[in-house]
Structures are given as structure tokens and as C-alpha cells.
Amino acid sequence: MSYSTPAPDVWDPGFASDPDCLLSSDQCVIRGRHFFIRGLIEIPVIGSQDVFSWGVWVSLSRDNFTRALEGWNTEGREAEKPYFGWLCTELPFYPESTTHVKTNAHTRPVGERPFIELEPTDHPLAVEQRTGITQDRVREIAMAVLHPA
């Protein structure tokens, strides 16, 4: 019921040896100029209490990234206002590119990844987040992820 990517699309394994780059399970910095956090796009599954999740990366401004890091382990951090960002994960299961969709990253309690809210557009991923997906769609995604063509 959830799939994730290990790094933003712009990450290159060669960055790992660069002292101005960092990739952890939740944060990424590229050359000290580009900042990302990992969060979840949650999509309700129609007719159930289940939620399907995409683990994605969102770019943040330097100021918002700094704010997010300062409160990363602070109780009550979920009261922080959302951080604007751009989706930096290409999900190939959509007819339109998912990279650069506008987002708001909502911080949740310590230990939980941020909730990524997509701008309410007609992009198929944003529509799915608002309206939900069927169990058949979940199976279709699972087959595509587990058995790529």
C-alpha cells in the first residue's frame, strides 16, 4: 500500500562523495544549494479505510529547509505552518509528468514523515489525492512497480 523512492530525481550517486551534498532517509542537500525532504502523498482507497502512499521528495527553499531541520525532533512540530515546495519525484504511472507539481509539506508529529498535499489541479495525481483510487488501481500500480516492463 506504499511505494517510495530513495532520493530526489536530481540526485546522482556521484554526489555522495561531495562534502556539500547529503542524502539521508529523510533529507537531501545537493551542492549546498538545493534542499529536499521526504514525505508521503496519501491517497484514500475508495470503499475502505485504507490509504495508499507514495513516498516522494519535495524541494524546499533554504529558509524552509532550515526551519524544518530546526524543528525535526521537536515535540509539537506539527503546529508548524506548511512548507511550499515542488515535487521532485517522477512517478511513471501517470500520463503527465509528476515532477514540478506544486506542493505543501505538512509537518506531523516526531517520527512521522510529512504529509505532502498537492496543489488542487487537474493533474491525475492531484485528482487521485482528492477523490481516491479503487482497489483495482492499487493492484495496477503494484503490478507496474513489482513487474516493470
Side-chain angles (χ1 to χ4, degrees):
M1 291 299 286
S2 90
Y3 298 98
S4 191
T5 58
D9 286 351
V10 293
W11 179 262
D12 181 284
F15 293 152
S17 61
D18 186 327
D20 290 328
C21 296
L22 160 83
L23 178 63
S24 73
S25 61
D26 294 300
Q27 297 117 15
C28 179
V29 177
I30 297 177
R31 299 201 167 126
R33 293 189 311 260
H34 305 284
F35 308 91
F36 309 86
I37 61 170
R38 189 172 173 185
L40 299 173
I41 296 173
E42 295 177 342
I43 302 171
V45 179
I46 298 168
S48 76
Q49 298 298 314
D50 293 333
V51 174
F52 177 85
S53 298
W54 286 115
V56 297
W57 292 85
V58 173
S59 68
L60 299 180
S61 68
R62 178 187 300 269
D63 289 345
N64 281 344
F65 185 76
T66 300
R67 250 181 53 226
L69 285 184
E70 287 171 352
W72 201 259
N73 294 311
T74 303
E75 294 297 325
R77 70 183 191 166
E78 61 273 17
E80 184 74 21
K81 69 179 185 171
Y83 308 113
F84 172 79
W86 298 94
L87 186 58
C88 292
T89 301
E90 184 62 41
L91 301 172
F93 312 102
Y94 295 91
E96 298 174 31
S97 174
T98 57
T99 304
H100 305 301
V101 171
K102 292 179 182 179
T103 69
N104 277 302
H106 297 264
T107 305
R108 296 199 264 200
V110 173
E112 293 183 38
R113 287 208 166 97
F115 168 70
I116 306 302
E117 174 191 22
L118 301 176
E119 179 182 39
T121 65
D122 62 353
H123 188 286
L125 179 58
V127 171
E128 285 185 348
Q129 187 177 46
R130 285 193 312 275
T131 64
I133 58 176
T134 64
Q135 285 287 353
D136 286 343
R137 176 71 170 139
V138 172
R139 281 189 284 280
E140 175 186 326
I141 292 169
M143 291 300 293
V145 169
L146 299 174
H147 306 287

